[in-house]
Amino acid sequence: MLKAVLRKVPGKEKEKEKQFLEVWDQNRKVKSIDLTALDKHGSVYDDDQFGCLAWSHSETHLLYVAEKKRPKAESFFQSKAPELGTSDEDTGHPKKEDAPIKGEQFVYHEDWGETLSTRSVPVLCVLDIEGNSISVLEGIPEHLSPGQAFWSPEDTGVVFVGWWHDPFRLGLRHCTNRRSALFYVDLTGGRCELLSEDTRAVWSPRLSPDGCRIVYLENNVLGPHQQCSQLRMYDWYTKHTSTVLEAVPRQAWGAFPGIYCGALPGMCWAADSRRILLDTAQRSQQDVFVVDTATGTATSLTADSPKGSWSVLTIDRDLLVARFSTPSCPPMLKVAVLPAAGHEAQTQWICLQDAPPVPGISWGIRTLQPPPEQEHPQYGGLDFDAILMRPSEGPAGHKPPLVVMPHGGPHSVFTAGWMLYPAALCRVGFAVLLVNYRGSLGFGQDSVDSLPGNVGTQDVHDVQLCVERVLQEEMLDASRVALVGGSHGGFLACHLIGQFPDTYHACVVRNPVVNIASMVATTDIPDWCLTETGLPYKPDALPDPAQWTEMLHKSPIRYVDWVRAPVLLMLGEDDQRVPPKQGLEYYRALKARGVPTRLLWYPGNNHALAGVEAEADGFMNMALWLLKHLQC
C-alpha cells in the first residue's frame, strides 16, 4: 500500500513556500512531485477541516484540497524597472495570461476564520501519479467550498462536503452548525449531485470498506455551535438515506449519551461494513462505542474498563487502537480485537504502551443539582458535574488553595482525561476544580439548549454553587481561591470576580469574552454573540438598541466596578474568535479602577495561544501569578 506525504519547504527571502507531494512504498520514497512548479493551484490544505490526501482505489491518482489559484495582481501605480543588461526584447510585454491585473492587489478575500485565515476558495485537485499532471475538478457550484473529500466506489467521481459561503463566510473551526451538505461530482461529465439534505450541517463522511454505505454526522444549522449530533447513513446503490442514531434529549444513566465529537475517526468501519466505532463524551467521561448501523444500537466497549477518557485512534481489519488517560495519568495506548456482532461487551483491552500515574494527584467526579430557584423553566431537572483534582500528599490538616477552571465553548466539556495545566498546578500544590456547568456536552441536548439566553447567569450560578459546595465539603482554604479560564471560561471568570468579589482572590484569563456587544462586529462568529444571548441571528440583520443592551447586560464588563481580585490577561494578537480588543477593553477598565492588572500580548498567536513559546511563557506567568496573589 502506497502512502502520500505533503512536504512544505519555506522559501528564501521573498520566494514563496515550495510544496512537494511524496509517494512512499513502505520505507522507500518512490516519487516526489513539485506542486509549486506545476503551478495549478495555491497552497495545499493540510488542516482537518477541509483537507484530505485520498488515494484512488487503483492507487494511480491522489485527491487533495488546495487554495484556488488567483490571477497575479498589482496596484494601479506599481511598475518594475527593467534590470540592467536586458534588451528591449527581454523587457517586452509579458504573455497575456501572466499579466497582473491592475487595481486588484489590495482586494479583500474572505476567509473561514480562526485557524483557517489562509483558507478562502478551496478546490478539489487530482494528481495523476504516473503522468505527473494535476487537474482541478470542475462542476462544483461557485457558492460552495469543498472539503473532506474521498473517491466514490469504482473511482467514478469524488464525494465531498460542501459548505455554503453565501452571503459571506463565518468562522468554521469548532462550529458544527454551518450549512453544508454531502455532494458527488462525476469525473467524466462534471455533474454535481446532492446526496444529503441541503438545509442541515453535515461533516465527517466515511465510506464503508465494501463501498456500499457512507456514514456522516449531521446537526441543525445555526443555534449552538456544538450540539448532540445525528448519525446518518447514505446507501450508495439504493440512494436511500437513513438515521442510524438520533440526538439524545436527556442522557439516562447507563444509556447511550448521544454523539458529541468533532469528527468520526478517519478509519471507523469494522471489517463487516456494518458497524462503526466512535468515541463520545458521556457526562464527565469519554467512552468508546460500537454502533450497529443495521439495528441502530450502540454498545460501550469501555463500560467495564477503568474510568477516564477513551478515544478511538483507528480500526483496521477489526484491530482497534485507542488512547486512554485520566486526570492523574498521561495517555497510554490500548489495543483490542473487536468481537463479533452481539458480543462487543466482551472486548478485552491490552495495554500496548504503559504510562505510570503521576504521583501525588487524587481526583473524583461529583454531581450537583441546582437549587429550585435556579432551575430552567423549560428544562427542569437538569444536573451537572465537576471534576475535583487535589494534592494527595501534604501535612495532616493542610488546606490547599483552590483554582477554579470553567471550560470554554460554552458548549464543550471537561472529560476525566489528562490535562497538563491542571495536573501541573496540582503538583505545585493547588486543588483544581473543573466545572461542567449546564450547557456542557455529554449531558443531553436539553442541557445544551438550556444555556442560550442564560449566559452570565445560569452558567455563573452553576460554577459558584459548585465552588461553595466544594469549600464546604472538602479540606480546602476558602481564603485562597482563584479563577483560571479561556474564551467563554474567561467570560465566566470575569463574571465571577465581579459578581462574587468576596470569593476570589486572583484571576488568570486567556482571550476572554468581556463585552458581547462590542465583540459582535469584530469576531468571526457573530452568530455566537446573538445565539448565546438568546437573540435570533440573521446575516442581513443589524442588532437594534434593545439587542445591543441585552448583549451588554449579559457581559462581565457590566460588573467591573465590583472587581477586586488581581487579574492577569493573556491575549493572542491574531485571535479572530475573541479579538484581543476584548481583553484590552477589560484591561483599561480595570486599570482605571485601580485593580492590579497585568497583560501579556502574544504576536503570531491566535485564540488557543498554542505556540510553543506562548504556551510555555503563559503557564509560567499563570503559576507565578497564582502563587504570588494566593500567598503560597
Side-chain angles (χ1 to χ4, degrees), residues 327-341:
S328 61
C329 184
M332 61 182 74
L333 286 177
K334 301 260 191 175
V335 296
V337 175
L338 181 67

Side-chain angles (χ1 to χ4, degrees), residues 189-413:
R191 175 179 53 87
C192 191
E193 178 185 348
L194 180 69
L195 302 183
S196 67
E197 296 180 42
D198 63 357
T199 59
R200 305 276 287 166
V202 311
W203 76 102
S204 205
R206 302 289 186 258
L207 179 66
S208 62
D210 62 6
C212 292
R213 285 166 289 277
I214 300 170
V215 292
Y216 58 91
L217 298 173
E218 184 176 280
N219 276 356
N220 292 325
V221 171
L222 296 178
H225 283 167
Q226 299 283 341
Q227 308 166 19
C228 185
S229 305
Q230 286 184 315
L231 180 66
R232 303 271 278 169
M233 184 169 66
Y234 175 80
D235 189 295
W236 185 258
Y237 294 103
T238 66
K239 311 300 182 186
H240 174 69
T241 300
S242 59
T243 300
V244 179
L245 291 174
E246 295 278 6
V248 177
R250 298 263 175 138
Q251 196 258 340
W253 287 98
F256 181 65
I259 301 176
Y260 309 90
C261 60
L264 295 172
M267 295 180 66
C268 66
W269 282 96
D272 57 14
S273 290
R274 168 174 166 167
R275 295 172 295 166
I276 69 163
L277 278 296
L278 57 83
D279 53 66
T280 183
Q282 186 169 214
R283 298 183 68 90
S284 296
Q285 297 186 161
Q286 185 163 296
D287 289 289
V288 174
F289 290 85
V290 59
V291 179
D292 189 323
T293 61
T295 63
T297 57
T299 305
S300 174
L301 300 184
T302 51
D304 298 325
S305 303
K307 301 303 180 184
S309 180
W310 291 80
S311 57
V312 178
L313 298 180
T314 191
I315 182 171
D316 187 11
R317 287 169 289 185
D318 289 346
L319 180 62
L320 177 60
V321 183
R323 180 176 62 235
F324 171 74
S325 69
T326 72
S328 61
C329 184
M332 61 182 74
L333 286 177
K334 301 260 191 175
V335 296
V337 175
L338 181 67
H343 301 278
E344 292 92 349
Q346 302 172 10
T347 302
Q348 298 292 318
W349 292 97
I350 299 173
C351 186
L352 196 65
Q353 181 187 42
D354 199 4
V358 175
I361 299 177
S362 61
W363 65 275
I365 301 173
R366 58 177 60 214
T367 299
L368 298 98
Q369 187 82 37
E373 66 272 14
Q374 294 178 13
E375 288 275 12
H376 193 288
Q378 183 180 351
Y379 301 104
L382 295 173
D383 59 11
F384 62 99
D385 281 357
I387 303 170
L388 177 64
M389 302 171 58
R390 59 177 302 155
S392 56
E393 301 170 353
H398 172 68
K399 293 184 176 182
L402 176 65
V403 175
V404 181
M405 286 188 174
H407 62 69
H411 307 293
S412 179
V413 64

Side-chain angles (χ1 to χ4, degrees), residues 406-407 437 456 459-460 463 483 487-497:
H407 62 69
Y437 45 88
D459 44 4
V460 170
V463 176
L483 282 155
S487 193
H488 191 85
F491 169 90
L492 292 176
C494 294
H495 259 297
L496 287 157
I497 58 174

Side-chain angles (χ1 to χ4, degrees), residues 298-608:
T299 305
S300 174
L301 300 184
T302 51
D304 298 325
S305 303
K307 301 303 180 184
S309 180
W310 291 80
S311 57
V312 178
L313 298 180
T314 191
I315 182 171
D316 187 11
R317 287 169 289 185
D318 289 346
L319 180 62
L320 177 60
V321 183
R323 180 176 62 235
F324 171 74
S325 69
T326 72
S328 61
C329 184
M332 61 182 74
L333 286 177
K334 301 260 191 175
V335 296
V337 175
L338 181 67
H343 301 278
E344 292 92 349
Q346 302 172 10
T347 302
Q348 298 292 318
W349 292 97
I350 299 173
C351 186
L352 196 65
Q353 181 187 42
D354 199 4
V358 175
I361 299 177
S362 61
W363 65 275
I365 301 173
R366 58 177 60 214
T367 299
L368 298 98
Q369 187 82 37
E373 66 272 14
Q374 294 178 13
E375 288 275 12
H376 193 288
Q378 183 180 351
Y379 301 104
L382 295 173
D383 59 11
F384 62 99
D385 281 357
I387 303 170
L388 177 64
M389 302 171 58
R390 59 177 302 155
S392 56
E393 301 170 353
H398 172 68
K399 293 184 176 182
L402 176 65
V403 175
V404 181
M405 286 188 174
H407 62 69
H411 307 293
S412 179
V413 64
F414 284 123
T415 59
W418 177 254
M419 292 165 279
L420 180 59
Y421 280 21
L425 288 174
C426 210
R427 289 292 294 153
V428 172
F430 297 97
V432 181
L433 183 65
L434 309 162
V435 186
N436 288 324
Y437 45 88
R438 283 173 292 170
S440 301
L441 302 180
F443 295 80
Q445 184 62 28
D446 284 357
S447 183
V448 173
D449 289 337
S450 74
L451 188 52
N454 296 295
V455 294
T457 50
Q458 177 178 292
D459 44 4
V460 170
H461 291 153
D462 283 357
V463 176
Q464 184 65 17
L465 172 68
C466 190
V467 171
E468 293 175 356
R469 188 74 55 83
V470 165
L471 290 176
Q472 290 170 2
E473 299 174 357
E474 298 283 339
M475 287 281 291
L476 300 170
D477 191 342
S479 68
R480 295 187 296 163
V481 182
L483 282 155
V484 173
S487 193
H488 191 85
F491 169 90
L492 292 176
C494 294
H495 259 297
L496 287 157
I497 58 174
Q499 292 192 42
F500 303 96
D502 294 334
T503 304
Y504 304 100
H505 304 88
C507 180
V508 181
V509 285
R510 169 188 55 79
N511 294 319
V513 177
V514 170
N515 185 344
I516 302 175
S518 62
M519 175 175 150
V520 68
T522 57
T523 177
D524 68 330
I525 50 169
D527 62 308
W528 181 94
C529 298
L530 292 156
T531 297
E532 296 302 336
T533 306
L535 302 170
Y537 172 75
K538 294 182 180 179
D540 60 344
L542 294 174
D544 59 33
Q547 292 175 324
W548 288 109
T549 301
E550 186 66 10
M551 285 188 279
L552 182 61
H553 180 78
K554 295 185 182 297
S555 299
I557 195 74
R558 176 189 173 202
Y559 299 95
V560 72
D561 285 335
W562 291 273
V563 174
R564 297 197 302 269
V567 177
L568 173 64
L569 289 149
M570 298 187 290
L571 307 179
E573 184 177 62
D574 299 334
D575 189 351
Q576 294 190 61
R577 183 105 330 158
V578 183
K581 291 298 177 66
Q582 285 282 297
L584 279 172
E585 184 177 343
Y586 202 56
Y587 171 79
R588 289 167 177 163
L590 293 173
K591 293 284 283 186
R593 287 157 178 79
V595 178
T597 310
R598 188 173 188 226
L599 191 150
L600 302 175
W601 184 272
Y602 294 103
N605 278 264
N606 51 32
H607 192 55

